Amino acid sequence: MADQKGIPMHDQLTEEELASLSELMDLEKAAAIAVTCIGRLYELGGNVVQLCGPMSTGGRGHIDLNMARFRIAMEVMHEHGVQVFNQMVFQDMMIRITGFRPGMPVEEYNVQILEGFYGPVFHSGLITTAIFLPDWESSHGASWERELLKKLGVEILEYPTSWFAEVQRREALIT
């Protein structure tokens, strides 16, 4: 799947950047790679959007279900012409570094994911809009992101209802 400029969503990083993520053990270095990627997207089309919502906490109650929803929601956004930063390519690295495990109590949530990765990404100024999935309030991370994005003056939008209906329709086909 390619964006409006012909760049595949899963290929927003160079081969070297993708390869480095498999061994990287530093969230700040990963954030620097993400900012470089977002900078390239910004040069292509200006407005770069980040999808925010439940991933490891809240939402559908399990990381695998939340990740499936996230992927589908990004696809739907893309189909509507939204230039979305694909943060999903960083997930395995974040899980490896933080020691996340499904069912981990929220009290054990590693805030370094937020402070070490998403904080620098948002502070870069290259994410111009954040679109929040329904039920974002159930997510520790999405709640933190929303507060930071407000402080930074980034445009915050809710995921359109009609788009979310399409996400749910596609979810039903795979579950």
Side-chain angles (χ1 to χ4, degrees):
M1 173 179 321
D3 70 11
Q4 60 269 31
K5 303 296 182 183
I7 296 177
M9 279 181 54
H10 64 279
D11 245 359
Q12 291 179 350
L13 301 178
T14 65
E15 291 298 321
E16 295 81 23
E17 290 164 342
L18 281 170
S20 71
L21 290 182
S22 67
E23 297 179 9
L24 198 61
M25 292 301 291
D26 184 306
L27 289 169
E28 288 82 4
K29 288 180 182 174
I33 292 170
V35 169
T36 298
C37 170
I38 296 165
R40 285 193 297 265
L41 292 173
Y42 190 84
E43 288 175 12
L44 286 173
N47 193 30
V48 180
V49 176
Q50 180 149 334
L51 178 62
C52 299
M55 289 183 147
S56 58
T57 64
R60 298 184 70 199
H62 191 278
I63 190 169
D64 293 340
L65 296 172
N66 287 340
M67 292 294 101
R69 174 171 282 174
F70 220 86
R71 280 185 205 91
I72 294 167
M74 286 177 57
E75 288 174 8
V76 170
M77 291 170 69
H78 171 76
E79 291 164 8
H80 285 275
V82 178
Q83 182 167 246
V84 184
F85 165 57
N86 184 10
Q87 67 205 50
M88 301 295 291
V89 296
F90 294 90
Q91 282 307 113
D92 288 342
M93 178 269 317
M94 284 189 232
I95 288 169
R96 185 181 69 250
I97 290 174
T98 63
F100 174 81
R101 60 192 187 285
M104 181 181 277
V106 105
E107 306 80 55
E108 294 180 33
Y109 184 87
N110 190 328
V111 296
Q112 192 54 30
I113 292 172
L114 304 172
E115 296 168 356
F117 182 81
Y118 287 107
V121 165
F122 294 143
H123 280 286
S124 74
L126 295 170
I127 298 292
T128 54
T129 305
I131 298 180
F132 281 76
L133 284 169
D135 201 24
W136 63 266
E137 304 94 335
S138 68
S139 165
H140 178 76
S143 297
W144 182 92
E145 289 173 334
R146 194 167 180 114
E147 285 303 310
L148 177 59
L149 291 164
K150 279 184 195 176
K151 290 177 188 171
L152 295 174
V154 174
E155 179 182 35
I156 295 173
L157 301 173
E158 304 306 323
Y159 200 88
T161 304
S162 61
W163 295 6
F164 193 65
E166 177 61 17
V167 170
Q168 291 176 308
R169 185 189 71 73
R170 293 180 191 184
E171 282 177 326
L173 295 174
I174 61 172
T175 54

